[in-house]
Amino acid sequence: MTTVRGQLFIGGEWTDSAGGTIEVLGAATGEVIGRVPAGTPADVDAAVAAARAAFPSWRATPMGERLELLRQVELALSARADELASLISAEVGTPLRVSRMLQVEGPRRAIENYRRLLPELPLEEKIGPSVVIREPLGVVACITAWNYPLQQVVGKAAGALAAGCTVVVKPSEVAPLSAFILADLIEEAGFPPGVLNLVSGDRRSGETLVAHPGVDMVHFTGSTTAGRHIGASAAQTVKRTSLELGGKSPNVILDDADLDLAVKVGVANCFTNSGQTCTAWSRMLVHRSQLAQVEALVAQRVARYRLGDPLDPDTNFGPLVSAEQQKSVRAHIRRAMADGARLVCGGPEQPPETPSGYFVAPTVFSDVRVDMRLAQEEVFGPVLALMPYDTEEEAIEIANSTIYGLAGGVWSRDTTRAERVARRIRSGQIDINGSFFNPLAPFGGHKQSGIGRELGVHGLLEFYELTSLQYA
Ligand code: NAD
């Protein structure tokens, strides 16, 4: 079935675009599964103008009314969860058996959390003779990646809307379809016109939005390369930016860890969504004396993956999102081989059990050194690097040796030791002896993994500007 969405959502109306069409390809088949408009600069102008016009009354709308409208969207996401999960599985390749939880329940919970947290936010505080007030920032451009498409759009847009900002959403051109359903839900819930606007398009639409003088904040999820350009462009009009960028996260297994558990959780983390996860623990740091044992455990876990059609309930390892992504991941694997990393399993060839589709087998390298490209570059695919260390100090040094600092894990039977190591790793989120993703905790990166935080209280506070009222 092909999903055709021929119009953009601007100022509360479904609107024609003079631009061309973007074809959305299925990850498992490469066939066209959807078509959306390629927004033009004029479409971006219209969307920003609509968001600007809607801002004064939206910010003045009582918080309870804003949150009630968001609650309607949250309920509708639950009601349409199966449809959304299937759509995103077809687009991105996420196995359907986890898609509902990973791709739909996460966004629903993000809205629920924003609704619960917002009334508790300290929007006014007294500091000496001043009253410091937080005011909604204005028009927020939400520009997102394709790997968790609905989560990223909702994580930004719902927080901004709750806070009283208006938004223009520019979803990834690779996986834009769920953003159109979100716009349907916004319309059905009865949000005022212009509060949320949707312009699909490629990077050029993103660039137009970032440079636009009518936009107050750019909230971006994507690659560090694009994030650098966006930071530079947004600086020309001194816009607020929140950048959620790439990662090369370390999973530090100390020598007194429960190895079975650390490997089980570590492998699952690295290969979720076929490794196309910004927080993937793509480096496993292992005490040299335990390297052979860990290699065997990792290979056993990897052998359990069943590659196949993401819509088949038996599949637990789907294809990559696109031909371009498959080509890029294969090139990373070949470079790792050329640099002398030792292949434990997988490789750059098309896996025999999936002769078509953008598949790359789960691939593991060992004896990976800090100076190899695999230890430094984000692959954004199913490739795990086992990196041996000799001392705890060296493990910390290796963990901190990349330009990234998004996530990570530390494992030890001695929790005090694990925490001591975790506190020295420069990353936004570090799990100690495994954990569940906590959507209330701030999410974002140190170093070149980003600027700003998403989700929870810290994420909401990004959408405000401070004013100090001074009294004599
Ligand atoms: P990308 O940077 O190519 O594109 C992301 C979005 O930005 C798309 O909508 C694209 O059209 C737009 N874009 C690209 N260049 C732009 C520019 N110069 N100006 C304005 N907009 C621009 O990234 P991708 O391939 O879609 O996603 C993969 C990357 O995203 C990985 O590096 C991954 O780590 C990162 N990511 C980060 C997080 C996080 O929360 N930190 C989450 C998911 C993905």
Side-chain angles (χ1 to χ4, degrees):
M1 202 181 72
T2 310
T3 305
V4 179
R5 303 298 303 245
Q7 293 178 308
L8 303 171
F9 191 58
I10 297 176
E13 303 281 339
W14 288 98
T15 309
D16 289 333
S17 166
T21 300
I22 294 174
E23 291 192 330
V24 184
L25 306 182
T29 61
E31 288 165 9
V32 176
I33 60 163
R35 291 192 176 85
V36 299
T40 63
D43 296 325
V44 170
D45 276 347
V48 173
R52 281 238 76 83
F55 177 57
S57 60
W58 182 244
R59 66 171 289 186
T61 302
M63 182 193 291
E65 282 179 37
R66 295 199 305 260
L67 297 184
E68 177 52 29
L69 286 168
L70 282 168
R71 196 176 72 88
Q72 297 305 319
V73 175
E74 184 192 327
L75 292 174
L77 281 183
S78 293
R80 293 180 68 173
D82 287 337
E83 173 196 353
L84 279 159
S86 302
L87 185 71
I88 298 174
S89 282
E91 254 182 344
V92 177
T94 310
L96 189 56
R97 56 193 279 157
V98 293
S99 198
R100 190 176 161 143
M101 202 264 288
L102 284 181
Q103 300 281 15
V104 189
E105 176 56 13
R108 190 206 62 74
R109 277 176 71 190
I111 300 181
E112 183 184 10
N113 289 334
Y114 287 144
R115 284 197 304 106
R116 289 209 177 135
L117 294 170
L118 193 73
E120 313 284 314
L121 277 195
L123 294 181
E124 275 197 33
E125 57 186 314
K126 184 120 180 49
I127 301 182
S130 305
V131 173
V132 178
I133 57 174
R134 286 195 161 85
E135 304 187 74
L137 250 168
V139 174
V140 180
C142 305
I143 303 175
T144 53
W146 44 261
N147 56 338
Y148 295 97
L150 188 61
Q151 169 72 47
Q152 288 158 18
V153 170
V154 169
K156 297 171 188 330
L161 294 175
C165 296
T166 54
V167 303
V168 179
V169 173
K170 204 301 278 175
S172 165
E173 61 274 34
V174 181
L177 298 177
S178 56
F180 281 79
I181 293 185
L182 180 72
D184 290 339
L185 302 187
I186 291 277
E187 187 185 22
E188 284 160 24
F191 277 76
V195 164
L196 179 139
N197 306 276
L198 171 66
V199 178
S200 49
D202 61 15
R203 65 172 286 169
R204 287 166 295 184
S205 305
E207 284 169 349
T208 309
L209 262 177
V210 173
H212 203 294
V215 170
D216 298 291
M217 177 189 198
V218 177
H219 211 303
F220 173 76
T221 293
S223 59
T224 293
T225 305
R228 291 185 191 114
H229 289 293
I230 287 169
S233 169
Q236 302 312 305
T237 42
V238 197
K239 287 186 179 70
R240 176 86 60 89
T241 51
S242 179
L243 305 174
E244 302 287 348
L245 309 177
K248 188 78 201 179
S249 295
N251 181 20
V252 181
I253 304 180
L254 297 171
D255 55 3
D256 62 346
D258 176 340
L259 282 190
D260 283 332
L261 186 62
V263 167
K264 179 179 158 201
V265 176
V267 166
N269 180 301
C270 178
F271 292 116
T272 296
N273 211 20
S274 297
Q276 301 165 119
T277 302
C278 52
T279 51
W281 296 347
S282 51
R283 295 180 294 147
M284 188 180 277
L285 278 54
V286 181
H287 194 271
R288 197 176 300 279
S289 66
Q290 296 172 325
L291 189 61
Q293 194 186 349
V294 167
E295 273 175 25
L297 288 172
V298 167
Q300 274 169 28
R301 299 298 318 177
V302 166
R304 299 159 78 119
Y305 283 120
R306 290 181 304 281
L307 281 63
D309 178 354
L311 299 178
D312 179 338
D314 284 339
T315 297
N316 61 6
F317 195 97
L320 301 190
V321 73
S322 64
E324 192 188 336
Q325 194 64 15
Q326 184 191 42
K327 188 172 162 212
S328 158
V329 172
R330 286 174 165 173
H332 277 285
I333 294 174
R334 291 202 180 92
R335 284 203 292 273
M337 294 164 93
D339 284 352
R342 180 163 53 79
L343 190 64
V344 175
C345 57
E349 301 81 20
Q350 184 81 22
E353 64 270 44
T354 49
S356 65
Y358 309 128
F359 286 89
V360 171
T363 297
V364 179
F365 284 98
S366 191
D367 286 323
V368 176
R369 295 189 318 267
V370 166
D371 61 348
M372 293 178 179
R373 286 171 287 187
L374 185 62
Q376 298 297 327
E377 296 172 357
E378 181 184 49
V379 175
F380 218 56
V383 183
L384 174 64
L386 302 187
M387 304 185 70
Y389 67 84
D390 290 303
T391 63
E392 184 178 304
E393 202 55 34
E394 192 195 357
I396 295 166
E397 226 172 85
I398 295 172
N400 286 330
S401 66
T402 75
I403 60 168
Y404 298 109
L406 192 54
V410 182
W411 298 82
S412 165
R413 284 199 166 84
D414 175 351
T415 311
T416 312
R417 182 182 181 208
E419 191 183 317
R420 181 178 73 217
V421 171
R423 282 176 184 273
R424 293 183 59 198
I425 297 177
R426 293 183 63 201
S427 277
Q429 285 203 339
I430 304 169
D431 295 2
I432 294 174
N433 289 327
S435 174
F436 292 104
F437 182 72
N438 176 7
L440 293 171
F443 178 80
H446 293 211
K447 301 193 278 181
Q448 294 189 38
S449 284
I451 295 174
R453 292 295 179 270
E454 199 162 80
L455 303 179
V457 168
H458 299 81
L460 279 171
L461 288 174
E462 299 266 327
F463 297 112
Y464 290 93
E465 188 57 280
L466 294 170
T467 303
S468 297
L469 301 178
Q470 254 74 241
Y471 295 86

